[in-house]
C-alpha cells in the first residue's frame, strides 16, 4: 500500500494519510524493458505506454487491464501520441520509422521512413497533420518533418510536406532535438533540445521564430496543460521550470536533488508531479531509497514539495496525470507502469494559504 506523505508548511513533521485512505497502485506488467512514454488519451479512459521492448501497449485507465499491443516496430519506441478521438496512434521508434496505427484493430495504416532514429511525434490541432523529430545519422543531419494525415484517408504520402534541417552549430557541436509539440491553432512547432534550448518554428515555411535557453543542460521532457497556456520543462540540471506559453515568460522553478526526467501539470489542482532519479547506469549500485525513485508532488504556486509516492525500483522516465484528476501513471527504468488512484484525503485536500499561516504564527508569538 502506498500513501502520500504530506508535511505541513514550515513544519518538519511528516503526516501520512489515514490507513483507510491508502493509495493502492495497480501494477501494469506488460513491458519487458524500460518504459519511455506514458500518456492518457483526451477523455482519460485509456492509457498508452511505450518502452524499449519495441511494443507499445494500450490499457484501460479504470482497471489497468491491457486491451492490446501494437506489433511492428524493430527498435525502441521513444515517443507516442494518440489523436483527439482515440482512433489513430502515432509511434516514433529508433528503427528510423514513425508508424500510424488504427487504435481499434492494432493494424499499421502507414509507416513513415526517416533518415535517423525518430525521437518524437505529435498530432496537430485537428489531427490532420503530424510532426516528427529524428536524430542525425551518418551523413544526415537531425530533422523536423511535417506530414499530412487527413482523417479518413486510405493512403498517405511518404514525403513530408515540410522538412526543417537542423545542422551542426558553428562550433561543430551536434544539437539533438528531444521533444516536439504543436502550439494552439497550429501557430508554431515547439521543439526542445539537448543543449537546454527551446525553439519555435513556423509549421508551414520552416522559419525559426524564436529561440531561448531555459536550462543549461538537456531538456528531457516538456509537458503542457490541457488548454496549452502553460508548459513545464524537465531537465538534467535538477530543475523543472514552468512557463507561460503566450509570452514565454518564466513563472516558477521547482528544484530537486536529482535529474528530472518528467514533470506534469495537474488539471484539477495547483500541483506539479515530478519524476526522475539518478542516471540509469548507476542504479544497480544503490538501494531504492538512496536512488530516490519516488514521484514528488510540488505546489504549483509556492514551489514547495509537500508529498511523495514511492514504489519504483529505478528512475521514473515518464509521468502522466488523468485529465479528470482521479489518477496518475508513472513508468520507470524497472519496466513497470504504476497506476495510482488518488485517495479521498488527497482529493479533498485544501491547499493552505501562506499568508494565513504567517498571520496565525505572528498572533501566537504575541
Amino acid at each position: 500500500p502506498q500513501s502520500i506523505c504530506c508535511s505541513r508548511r514550515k513544519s518538519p513533521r511528516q503526516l501520512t494519510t489515514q490507513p483507510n485512505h491508502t493509495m493502492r497502485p495497480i501494477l501494469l506488467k506488460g513491458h519487458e524493458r524500460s518504459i519511455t512514454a506514458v500518456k492518457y488519451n483526451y477523455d482519460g479512459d485509456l492509457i498508452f505506454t511505450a518502452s524499449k521492448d519495441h511494443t507499445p501497449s494500450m490499457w484501460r485507465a479504470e482497471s489497468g487491464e491491457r486491451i492490446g499491443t501494437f506489433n511492428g516496430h524493430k527498435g525502441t519506441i521513444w515517443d507516442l501520441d494518440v489523436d483527439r478521438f482515440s482512433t489513430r496512434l502515432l509511434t516514433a521508434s529508433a528503427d528510423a520509422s514513425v508508424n500510424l496505427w488504427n487504435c481499434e484493430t492494432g493494424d499499421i495504416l502507414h509507416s513513415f521512413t526517416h533518415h535517423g532514429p525518430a525521437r518524437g511525434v505529435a498530432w496537430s490541432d485537428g489531427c490532420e497533420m503530424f510532426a516528427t523529430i529524428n536524430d542525425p545519422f551518418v551523413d544526415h543531419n537531425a530533422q523536423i518533418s511535417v506530414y499530412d494525415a487527413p482523417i479518413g484517408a486510405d493512403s498517405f504520402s511518404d514525403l513530408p510536406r515540410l522538412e526543417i534541417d537542423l545542422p551542426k552549430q558553428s562550433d561543430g557541436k551536434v544539437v539533438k532535438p528531444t521533444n516536439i509539440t504543436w502550439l494552439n491553432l497550429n501557430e508554431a512547432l515547439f521543439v526542445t533540445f539537448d543543449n537546454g534550448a527551446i525553439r519555435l518554428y513556423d509549421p508551414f515555411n520552416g522559419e525559426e521564430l524564436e529561440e531561448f535557453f531555459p536550462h543549461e543542460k538537456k531538456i528531457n521532457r516538456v509537458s503542457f496543460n490541457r488548454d496549452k497556456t502553460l508548459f513545464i520543462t524537465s531537465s538534467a540540471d535538477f530543475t523543472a521550470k514552468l512557463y507561460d506559453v503566450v509570452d514565454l515568460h518564466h513563472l516558477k522553478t521547482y528544484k530537486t536533488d536529482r535529474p528530472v526526467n518528467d514533470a506534469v501539470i495537474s488539471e484539477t489542482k495547483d500541483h506539479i508531479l515530478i519524476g526522475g532519479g539518478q542516471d540509469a547506469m548507476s542504479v544497480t549500485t544503490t538501494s531504492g531509497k538512496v536512488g530516490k525513485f519516488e514521484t514528488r508532488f510540488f505546489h504549483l504556486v509556492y514551489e514547495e514539495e509537500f508529498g511523495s509516492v514511492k514504489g519504483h525500483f529505478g528512475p521514473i522516465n515518464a509521468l502522466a496525470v488523468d485529465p479528470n484528476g482521479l489518477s496518475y501513471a508513472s513508468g520507470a527504468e524497472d519496466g513497470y507502469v504504476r497506476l495510482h488512484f488518488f485517495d479521498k484525503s488527497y482529493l479533498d485536500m485544501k491547499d493552505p494559504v501562506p499568508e494565513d499561516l504567517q498571520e496565525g504564527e505572528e498572533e501566537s508569538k504575541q
Side-chain angles (χ1 to χ4, degrees), residues 331-343:
E333 197 73 22
D334 58 13
Y336 290 116
V337 176
R338 297 173 76 89
L339 175 59
H340 299 261
F341 293 93
F342 291 123
D343 54 27

Side-chain angles (χ1 to χ4, degrees), residues 319-354:
L319 282 172
V321 176
D322 173 15
N324 306 307
L326 301 177
S327 65
Y328 85 92
S330 57
E333 197 73 22
D334 58 13
Y336 290 116
V337 176
R338 297 173 76 89
L339 175 59
H340 299 261
F341 293 93
F342 291 123
D343 54 27
K344 188 174 185 300
S345 60
Y346 175 82
L347 295 174
D348 295 344
M349 186 176 79
K350 298 287 189 291
D351 292 316
V353 180

